[in-house]
Amino acid sequence: MDEIFHFPQAVKYYKGIYKEWDPKITTPPGLYLFTVVILNPISNIINLDVDKLACFRLVNLFFTTGTIYVLYRILQHHHKCDESRVLLLSSFNIAIFPVLYFFNFLYYTDCGSTFFVLLMYYWHLKKFYFFASFLGAVALLFRQTNIVWIFYVAAEETLQTLFKFSNEGISKKHENLSLFSISGFKVFLPLWKKNWKQILKKIFKINIGYIPIAIGSVAFVFYNGSIALGDKTAHESIGQEIGLTKKRGSIPPLGVG
């Protein structure tokens, strides 16, 4: 696992060495920055042996606890009638899914990344869009690919806005029309034209924080030549790797026995 790269880099950040960077690391320094924020206050209370990996793995305890709580609040939002005990158990159950659970024992980006993505989603549900976009930007400091989740929450609420304006002005015979069907589009388009100022105002209010993040992410990919930082060869597609290997003459062309 990439833990062997993350740990030495985190130790450097903990010691205040911010200018040295391992080119093998392909994610931003969010994990290391938050490690410093979490471990520094603890080190003022107890002596921490920063040469031990276990010390840094403790950071996951904070992220995982936060993830369980945020999941609980999200479930509360979606299932208002359920008992708190059931929601809490469900939150714990989700948090220990194998895709996340085993990363709790490694010093890796998954726990922090998941926590901030869920926290962004929670505040988005509460319609604090600008604050949610800020949390989305923080999530990007852990994983650049979290831009997908930022796009998801922005698109989801934008579509909800279109649904709202579409449903308010249609007659009963058109109630079951799909927004994405051709017939539905023909019915809804005049309504959108009629209320286009209100729709744009609402959509802009939702996305005012997400738009700069999207523009910045696209600009970063164009400038960097890839979504990955550092050693990009570790994140090439299989097709690219085969092409490069064929050029070097290490393997025969595909289809040759």
Side-chain angles (χ1 to χ4, degrees):
M1 294 300 294
D2 292 344
E3 186 181 57
I4 60 173
F5 302 111
H6 289 304
F7 173 56
Q9 188 66 49
V11 172
K12 291 177 183 177
Y13 269 60
Y14 184 80
K15 293 180 178 179
I17 306 171
Y18 299 107
K19 293 184 178 180
E20 292 184 16
W21 185 262
D22 185 348
K24 288 291 183 182
I25 296 172
T26 57
T27 51
L31 176 62
Y32 321 128
L33 293 171
F34 276 88
T35 297
V36 173
V37 170
I38 293 170
L39 292 186
N40 264 339
I42 297 176
S43 65
N44 293 328
I45 302 171
I46 59 174
N47 290 325
L48 292 177
D49 186 357
V50 294
D51 292 324
K52 289 186 177 179
L53 179 57
C55 178
F56 285 80
R57 286 174 176 169
L58 284 174
V59 172
N60 289 338
L61 181 64
F62 292 87
F63 288 132
T64 303
T65 303
T67 296
I68 293 171
Y69 178 71
V70 174
L71 282 168
Y72 171 72
R73 297 305 297 266
I74 291 172
L75 290 174
Q76 267 189 329
H77 179 87
H78 287 299
H79 306 279
K80 295 180 175 65
C81 297
D82 290 357
E83 294 181 21
S84 296
R85 176 175 56 87
V86 174
L87 296 178
L88 186 60
L89 288 173
S90 297
S91 304
F92 184 77
N93 190 36
I94 295 170
I96 61 173
F97 276 6
V99 289
L100 179 62
Y101 175 73
F102 292 104
F103 287 104
N104 286 308
F105 304 101
L106 298 170
Y107 185 68
Y108 204 50
T109 56
D110 286 64
C111 294
S113 174
T114 302
F115 168 70
F116 279 106
V117 167
L118 289 172
L119 194 60
M120 171 192 68
Y121 179 56
Y122 170 73
W123 286 108
H124 181 86
L125 289 173
K126 293 296 183 182
K127 303 191 183 302
F128 287 84
Y129 303 121
F130 192 79
F131 184 55
S133 67
F134 167 75
L135 293 169
V138 174
L140 286 177
L141 291 176
F142 285 81
R143 285 260 179 100
Q144 307 95 304
T145 49
N146 284 333
I147 189 64
V148 173
W149 298 112
I150 295 172
F151 173 78
Y152 164 76
V153 295
E156 185 266 343
E157 193 65 26
T158 300
L159 287 174
Q160 288 294 337
T161 299
L162 290 177
F163 282 133
K164 178 184 176 182
F165 280 99
S166 301
N167 292 331
E168 284 179 352
I170 61 173
S171 59
K172 288 187 177 181
K173 68 177 182 179
H174 294 136
E175 281 182 351
N176 296 322
L177 279 177
S178 170
L179 184 65
F180 302 104
S181 66
I182 296 175
S183 56
F185 184 78
K186 289 179 179 178
V187 172
F188 297 135
L189 186 59
L191 296 173
W192 296 340
K193 286 182 177 179
K194 181 181 177 181
N195 301 298
W196 69 271
K197 287 185 178 179
Q198 291 175 275
I199 293 173
L200 283 180
K201 184 178 179 181
K202 178 67 175 177
I203 290 175
F204 182 75
K205 181 182 177 181
I206 293 167
N207 294 290
I208 189 172
Y210 299 123
I211 292 171
I213 295 174
I215 294 172
S217 296
V218 172
F220 166 77
V221 172
F222 273 99
Y223 174 78
N224 189 52
S226 169
I227 197 169
L229 291 168
D231 185 10
K232 299 176 181 62
T233 58
H235 288 262
E236 289 178 345
S237 66
I238 294 174
Q240 285 177 302
E241 290 186 7
I242 291 174
L244 289 171
T245 311
K246 283 169 65 178
K247 286 181 180 179
R248 291 193 292 264
S250 301
I251 61 171
L254 292 176
V256 178

